Amino acid sequence: SSELTQDPAVSVALGQTVRLTCQGDSLRNFYATWYQQRPGQAPTVVIYGRNTRPSGVPDRFSASRSGNTASLTISGAQADDEADYFCHSRDNNGNLLLFGGGTRLTVL
Amino acid sequence: EVQLVMSAAEVKKPGQSLNISCQASGYIFTNHWIGWVRQMPGKGLEGVGIIFPGDSQTRFSPSFQGHVTLSVDKSANTAYLHWSSLRASDTGMYYCVRVGSFESGVPYMDVWGKGTTVIVTS
């Protein structure tokens, strides 16, 4: 199917590690890009490709993939990481703009 | 610095037409795909479509195919999203995005505009 599924909400204690997941059949063949969106702002990229961070993104963000699941891991979450996170990929039918529903991350 | 400057918010009635625009600067416009992502109020991101300014190739998400058109003006480094007949369900924030590259077949949207709010109401 052409869907990407994310948990709607996740919380993490300050300084702890959290893993956000994105599930979909197409992820067996394609990587996910991860976008962070803070309230009232446009999204920005935190990870793309296999596990590449754009300049300026802290190295506590990392990505991995196993089977039909892509994961974004934040090692040592900071208050500034509280945001919505969206995964994006493509499907096997040529839809290049497939997004997950997003995960709202709360840092406690 | 790469920038995408988007047109102002719009309030329209159902059935009306609308163009919103995105002016790019800071890079060679014809070298990168450029596209649109919608966010309805309080909801997630939905890809609309992308266009390659070099030859106007387009790729649409299935749910938007046939309802919107994409175009570019290369002389003005500007991309457009066009509706010929708006629906109330078109209400949302529309982001202009630049595709930095394709990573193993997946477009990586590296630059985002600040968004244009479109409200369609009778």
Side-chain angles (χ1 to χ4, degrees):
Chain A
S1 69
S2 297
E3 287 186 349
L4 297 177
T5 302
Q6 297 182 251
D7 293 325
V10 171
S11 61
V12 60
L14 184 68
Q16 296 303 298
T17 294
V18 63
R19 188 177 71 162
L20 309 182
T21 60
C22 174
Q23 287 189 302
D25 287 344
S26 64
L27 296 177
R28 297 184 186 278
N29 301 316
F30 302 107
Y31 292 113
T33 302
W34 290 90
Y35 297 90
Q36 177 191 70
Q37 185 179 34
R38 296 192 175 98
Q41 296 186 18
T44 59
V45 181
V46 291
I47 293 280
Y48 67 96
R50 186 164 177 262
N51 184 22
T52 303
R53 282 177 288 105
S55 173
V57 174
D59 61 6
R60 61 179 179 271
F61 290 89
S62 64
S64 60
R65 184 181 66 166
S66 178
N68 72 338
T69 301
S71 300
L72 174 70
T73 299
I74 308 174
S75 303
Q78 302 300 303
D80 192 47
D81 300 334
E82 191 162 282
D84 293 328
Y85 291 84
F86 296 92
C87 61
H88 158 251
S89 190
R90 58 171 291 172
D91 69 16
N92 297 313
N93 299 316
N95 181 4
L96 302 179
L97 300 171
L98 194 58
F99 283 91
T103 296
R104 176 151 295 176
L105 178 67
T106 301
V107 180
L108 304 171
Chain B
E1 181 194 3
V2 176
Q3 283 193 307
L4 300 174
V5 177
M6 302 183 65
S7 50
E10 301 272 2
V11 180
K12 292 287 192 178
K13 296 185 187 308
Q16 290 186 322
S17 65
L18 175 64
N19 268 325
I20 61 174
S21 67
C22 171
Q23 185 172 41
S25 62
Y27 71 99
I28 299 172
F29 184 62
T30 50
N31 282 3
H32 290 264
W33 291 77
I34 189 164
W36 302 86
V37 174
R38 180 176 77 179
Q39 188 166 37
M40 298 172 80
K43 301 297 184 183
L45 303 176
E46 301 171 89
V48 176
I50 56 174
I51 183 168
F52 188 66
D55 60 8
S56 293
Q57 277 189 74
T58 54
R59 300 283 189 275
F60 287 94
S61 290
S63 52
F64 290 91
Q65 179 89 48
H67 181 52
V68 297
T69 56
L70 306 184
S71 62
V72 295
D73 179 347
K74 289 189 282 189
S75 68
N77 286 357
T78 299
Y80 299 92
L81 174 59
H82 174 75
W83 293 262
S84 58
S85 181
L86 286 159
R87 308 165 182 160
S89 56
D90 293 319
T91 293
M93 175 74 83
Y94 289 81
Y95 292 103
C96 177
V97 297
R98 185 186 83 156
V99 176
S101 61
F102 282 78
E103 301 295 320
S104 300
V106 181
Y108 153 50
M109 292 171 281
D110 64 343
V111 181
W112 292 61
K114 293 188 187 306
T116 293
T117 297
V118 174
I119 298 172
V120 184
T121 178
S122 53

